[in-house]
Amino acid sequence: MANNSDYAFQKCINPECAATFDVAEILVKCPTCGDMLDVAYDWDKMDVPGSLKDFEKRWTRTNPLDFSGVWRFRDLLNFCPDDCKVTVGEGQTILQRNDALAKDLGIDAGCLHLEYEGLNPSGSFKDNGMTAAFSHARLVGATASACASTGNTSASMALYAHSTGMSCTVFIGSGRIAYGKLSQAMDYGAHTLQIAGDFDDCMRQVQAVCAQLGIYLVNSLNPFRLEGQKTIMFRILEQLGWQVPDWIIVPGGNLGNSSSFGKAFAELKQLGLIDRVPRLAIINAEGANTLTHLYNDRNLRWNDGRPDADLVQEFYDDLTARKYSPRTVASAIEISRPVNLTKCLRALDICDGVVISVPDEEIIDAKAQIGLRGLGCEPASAATIAGLKHLLADGVVDPSAKIACVLTGHPLKDPNLTVNYHKDNKGKFSNPPVEVPNDLNAIIKAMKQA
Ligand SMILES: *Cc1c(COP(=O)(O)O)cnc(C)c1O
Ligand SMILES: [Zn+2]
């Protein structure tokens, strides 16, 4: 089968190595130096539209690839032929201008936008990346896939695995997954292994298993995943009439999303398709704040591709010595050894980024507030609004700035947390059901109290 290797290739992100590899090789790390890989392109040999507006013409329903919110931008991630590309209709998401929430936060009308990635087929942004990873898996003829997951990666992998006839195995930490997500993995037929450990343990084990058994790994270490996730930014630009916002705000877990956003903007700028890049704010949960600690307290930086690896190793050794395990209600970002850390530092460098952490109580309140004002989201996604409140209070983000928050997952992913928040009536936005006798007068009385 033809591959697109005359212009797409894999490239080590370490500038001292910069080794390149064929796009049809299955690699998760640079075989020369062990650093991470990018998918890179020889843009001059590709047929890239001269203006982003040209993509609007492509968007039709007749060809499923043109309907996909990922593949209708394929000129900007064209690493495999169209007959390898798989789609289940991912990326039909909306950017909602939300003036009610803006008002709550003291932001000017028309300035706050929420990108609802929970509207994807499996209910999270992961589908943007998974469609790309499984298209690559088809290119290389893989038959078995696996991932470590806090939940959404497994739901998305299982959906694409059965769409492509591949088997799939999920590694999840015991007791660390929201029910909606676990139900999807089982329903989509994933072989589910509950490991007695946390996400970081699962991540380490799944890499060893995939290397030993020749299984295709679909975690965000896989550079093809990040290519698909770039399109979240393309859609935000599109829905803003191709205007670049001032801020992109995203939760940080394994840091694949933030890494891919930085790459997207660097490429658009290089191609002359945008004239400036937005700033990036990455929000950690306080109970899983590796990036915040290393970036803010230890001053870890991309440093032209030479980040201080000893500093990172020292920090991880200390976590190991303390038997530290991250804890947050935002299970999707409950990660203390983010695999994309170096790529994320590059994104922060490209986008003049900032990083902060927020406590669980603020995440849960923000989640309820987003539900009250919009389509809702899962806890990790609400870290964006919880973080934005701090960035506004600290004067980092201006109330007249154009802001796009990426709401990464659907509200039904974690119904237990939502029900408990409202039922216990302890949160700022709790809205418990009222118990009423089966009696008309009592019901009318309860109605009047509303
Ligand atoms: C995976 C996930 C995240 C974390 O994204 P990273 O790319 O790992 O930083 C955040 N929110 C939700 C809902 C997720 O599923
Ligand atoms: Zn290398």
Side-chain angles (χ1 to χ4, degrees), residues 4 9 18 95 119 133 142 146 163 186 235 245 247 251 292 296 348 392 409 422:
N4 296 27
F9 51 100
L95 184 72
L119 298 179
S163 306
M186 296 189 298
R235 297 196 299 272
W247 284 94
T292 310
N296 293 353
L348 287 163
L392 288 160
H422 289 292

Side-chain angles (χ1 to χ4, degrees), residues 34-52:
D35 217 323
M36 302 197 79
L37 296 169
D38 271 333
V39 181
Y41 306 92
D42 194 343
W43 298 108
D44 292 342
K45 293 188 190 151
M46 294 167 78
D47 200 12
V48 179
S51 141
L52 285 169

Side-chain angles (χ1 to χ4, degrees), residues 8 11 218 244 403 435:
K11 183 176 180 194
V218 299
V244 179
I403 305 160
E435 293 195 31

Side-chain angles (χ1 to χ4, degrees), residues 12 17 30 32-33:
C12 178
C17 171
C30 172
T32 312
C33 77

Side-chain angles (χ1 to χ4, degrees), residues 218-359:
V218 299
N219 280 103
S220 51
L221 277 180
N222 180 324
F224 295 91
R225 269 259 320 256
L226 301 199
E227 289 307 288
Q229 289 168 216
K230 292 190 308 194
T231 65
I232 300 169
M233 295 300 107
F234 304 158
R235 297 196 299 272
I236 287 181
L237 294 180
E238 179 179 49
Q239 295 172 93
L240 291 173
W242 304 113
Q243 295 297 307
V244 179
D246 298 308
W247 284 94
I248 299 287
I249 305 188
V250 65
N254 231 352
L255 306 177
N257 237 0
S258 43
S259 298
S260 76
F261 298 171
K263 186 172 189 282
F265 288 117
E267 290 173 350
L268 292 181
K269 183 100 198 302
Q270 188 200 337
L271 289 167
L273 292 169
I274 54 174
D275 53 11
R276 63 180 183 100
V277 300
R279 295 191 69 189
L280 179 67
I282 304 176
I283 318 296
N284 278 157
E286 268 183 6
N289 66 350
T290 294
L291 180 68
T292 310
H293 176 74
L294 292 175
Y295 194 75
N296 293 353
D297 305 341
R298 310 298 302 276
N299 212 27
L300 180 70
R301 290 292 181 277
W302 167 243
N303 191 26
D304 292 325
R306 293 166 196 83
D308 188 343
D310 293 342
L311 185 70
V312 179
Q313 194 52 50
E314 211 176 280
F315 179 71
Y316 288 165
D317 288 346
D318 179 57
L319 293 185
T320 308
R322 288 191 284 135
K323 293 197 170 56
Y324 178 84
S325 186
R327 276 290 173 194
T328 165
V329 290
S331 54
I333 52 175
E334 194 183 60
I335 295 173
S336 62
R337 291 173 173 77
V339 296
N340 290 293
L341 179 63
T342 8
K343 281 188 180 175
C344 174
L345 294 173
R346 183 177 64 181
L348 287 163
D349 187 67
I350 293 165
C351 296
D352 187 17
V354 297
V355 182
I356 60 165
S357 304
V358 288

